[in-house]
Amino acid sequence: MIYKRAILVKGGCGGDGCVSFRREKYIPFGGPDGGDGGDGGRVIIIASPNVLDLGLMRWQKEFVAGNGRRGSGWRKRGSKGVDLAISVPVGTVIFTKADSGEEILLADLSTLGRKVLVAKGGRGGLGNARFATAVNQAPEIASKGKSGEERHIVLELKLITDICIVGHPNSGKSTLLAAISKAKPEIADYPFTTRQPILGVMPDDRRDFIVAEIPGLVEGAHLGKGLGNEFLRHAERTRLLVYLLDGSSPTVIDDLSTLDKEIALYKGLSHKPKIVAVNKIDLPEVKARLTEVKQCFAGLGVPVFYISAVSGHAVLELVRKAMEMVDQESHDEERISQAQITVFRPKPRK
Ligand SMILES: Nc1nc2c(ncn2[C@@H]2O[C@H](COP(=O)(O)OP(=O)(O)OP(=O)(O)O)[C@@H](O)[C@H]2O)c(=O)[nH]1
Ligand SMILES: [Mg+2]
């Protein structure tokens, strides 16, 4: 899957204006009748449900809209250039590149059907009919169509999810995802089985919850170690993080602080609501250490669950709490977005 691509978008060129004079039987000196050129087409990017990644941009780097047609006699305007609509997945963020190389946010296509104009078409040129004046009644000039806007843009896909499961490699993220959703990820007893983010749908009476698993994080992930760094961007737009710890790891208590440190060091993730889940408690060695682990995690200040993704122990409780926290978070988001809407009311007339 492709999550980031830089492309060039170009609006179509405007068609040229036309130089033409009316010539008909019994109408001598019919006057200038050259029509204007048509405007160039625009490049639009649209969030579509049928596209899963930015794979279209793997080979194609330039996206050019259609050119406007030339004007013609009888004051006929050239036809407009055909607009080019590029479909991208919901959750694509678009940046433009400044001359300094800095990326400036242009649009965030976070809802289905949202679209943004990224390159305008050039204006069509004027035909000679437009240049006629009282002094110059037979102008032999027309203007050329303008070239379309040209822009280097960067598209970045950031998945929009309700719950994101993060954890060290082999902690059981895929097993938990398979247990709580309809996803069927690959599960194996070696690290980095999952190399791409995986989405699952968790059905509920009220609505479906989207759950994601991102590849395992290792120490230094925020600096690019392992696979995690590239995929942490998908955790940026989740409502809840589930820290999944491998209960059978001898360093399970330190694992939590390593994981939390990596998450905190990645921009914009430290404030996210979170749940800690210690997995694999069906194993005898984990059961033996459970009291000690519980004591260490008692004062964390976040909900902690002791689960077994394989046997399903306490998974339902974890899911219920997760749904409750996601609902709370979406209510908060709604309140904030409503508070940001300014309503302008006209003053009553005297
Ligand atoms: N006993 C026990 N084994 C588990 C449990 N959950 C996962 N496992 C095992 O742990 C191993 C790793 O599980 P995965 O679900 O692939 O772990 P992951 O975190 O997705 O691993 P990566 O994708 O490689 O990072 C598999 O052999 C699972 O069967 C559990 O609750 N109990
Ligand atoms: Mg996995």
PDB file of all heavy atoms in Angstrom, residues 97-104:
ATOM      1  N   LYS A  97       3.962  22.405  -1.903  1.00  0.00           N
ATOM      2  CA  LYS A  97       5.361  22.620  -1.563  1.00  0.00           C
ATOM      3  C   LYS A  97       5.724  24.066  -1.834  1.00  0.00           C
ATOM      4  O   LYS A  97       5.575  24.544  -2.960  1.00  0.00           O
ATOM      5  CB  LYS A  97       6.239  21.681  -2.381  1.00  0.00           C
ATOM      6  CG  LYS A  97       6.460  20.360  -1.691  1.00  0.00           C
ATOM      7  CD  LYS A  97       7.663  19.670  -2.242  1.00  0.00           C
ATOM      8  CE  LYS A  97       7.986  18.461  -1.381  1.00  0.00           C
ATOM      9  NZ  LYS A  97       8.908  17.572  -2.029  1.00  0.00           N
ATOM     10  N   ALA A  98       6.201  24.742  -0.791  1.00  0.00           N
ATOM     11  CA  ALA A  98       6.661  26.122  -0.990  1.00  0.00           C
ATOM     12  C   ALA A  98       8.036  26.071  -1.646  1.00  0.00           C
ATOM     13  O   ALA A  98       8.660  25.011  -1.702  1.00  0.00           O
ATOM     14  CB  ALA A  98       6.732  26.821   0.355  1.00  0.00           C
ATOM     15  N   ASP A  99       8.510  27.226  -2.150  1.00  0.00           N
ATOM     16  CA  ASP A  99       9.824  27.255  -2.807  1.00  0.00           C
ATOM     17  C   ASP A  99      10.928  26.817  -1.863  1.00  0.00           C
ATOM     18  O   ASP A  99      11.932  26.234  -2.259  1.00  0.00           O
ATOM     19  CB  ASP A  99      10.127  28.669  -3.335  1.00  0.00           C
ATOM     20  CG  ASP A  99       9.161  29.019  -4.461  1.00  0.00           C
ATOM     21  OD1 ASP A  99       8.616  28.069  -5.065  1.00  0.00           O
ATOM     22  OD2 ASP A  99       8.928  30.224  -4.705  1.00  0.00           O
ATOM     23  N   SER A 100      10.709  27.109  -0.542  1.00  0.00           N
ATOM     24  CA  SER A 100      11.724  26.735   0.443  1.00  0.00           C
ATOM     25  C   SER A 100      11.710  25.228   0.718  1.00  0.00           C
ATOM     26  O   SER A 100      12.530  24.724   1.476  1.00  0.00           O
ATOM     27  CB  SER A 100      11.454  27.501   1.731  1.00  0.00           C
ATOM     28  OG  SER A 100      10.154  27.161   2.196  1.00  0.00           O
ATOM     29  N   GLY A 101      10.773  24.519   0.119  1.00  0.00           N
ATOM     30  CA  GLY A 101      10.680  23.066   0.342  1.00  0.00           C
ATOM     31  C   GLY A 101       9.723  22.717   1.475  1.00  0.00           C
ATOM     32  O   GLY A 101       9.433  21.555   1.719  1.00  0.00           O
ATOM     33  N   GLU A 102       9.229  23.756   2.169  1.00  0.00           N
ATOM     34  CA  GLU A 102       8.326  23.529   3.299  1.00  0.00           C
ATOM     35  C   GLU A 102       6.951  23.058   2.797  1.00  0.00           C
ATOM     36  O   GLU A 102       6.494  23.503   1.749  1.00  0.00           O
ATOM     37  CB  GLU A 102       8.169  24.870   4.034  1.00  0.00           C
ATOM     38  CG  GLU A 102       7.529  24.745   5.381  1.00  0.00           C
ATOM     39  CD  GLU A 102       7.065  26.125   5.872  1.00  0.00           C
ATOM     40  OE1 GLU A 102       7.495  27.154   5.284  1.00  0.00           O
ATOM     41  OE2 GLU A 102       6.292  26.162   6.816  1.00  0.00           O
ATOM     42  N   GLU A 103       6.338  22.139   3.538  1.00  0.00           N
ATOM     43  CA  GLU A 103       5.020  21.637   3.117  1.00  0.00           C
ATOM     44  C   GLU A 103       3.917  22.438   3.811  1.00  0.00           C
ATOM     45  O   GLU A 103       3.905  22.543   5.029  1.00  0.00           O
ATOM     46  CB  GLU A 103       4.880  20.148   3.453  1.00  0.00           C
ATOM     47  CG  GLU A 103       5.758  19.299   2.557  1.00  0.00           C
ATOM     48  CD  GLU A 103       5.671  17.817   2.843  1.00  0.00           C
ATOM     49  OE1 GLU A 103       4.919  17.417   3.745  1.00  0.00           O
ATOM     50  OE2 GLU A 103       6.370  17.065   2.147  1.00  0.00           O
ATOM     51  N   ILE A 104       3.007  23.025   3.024  1.00  0.00           N
ATOM     52  CA  ILE A 104       1.925  23.841   3.588  1.00  0.00           C
ATOM     53  C   ILE A 104       0.612  23.112   3.375  1.00  0.00           C
ATOM     54  O   ILE A 104       0.326  22.663   2.264  1.00  0.00           O
ATOM     55  CB  ILE A 104       1.879  25.220   2.891  1.00  0.00           C
ATOM     56  CG1 ILE A 104       3.225  25.925   3.060  1.00  0.00           C
ATOM     57  CG2 ILE A 104       0.757  26.081   3.451  1.00  0.00           C
ATOM     58  CD1 ILE A 104       3.450  27.039   2.077  1.00  0.00           C
TER      59      ILE A 104
END
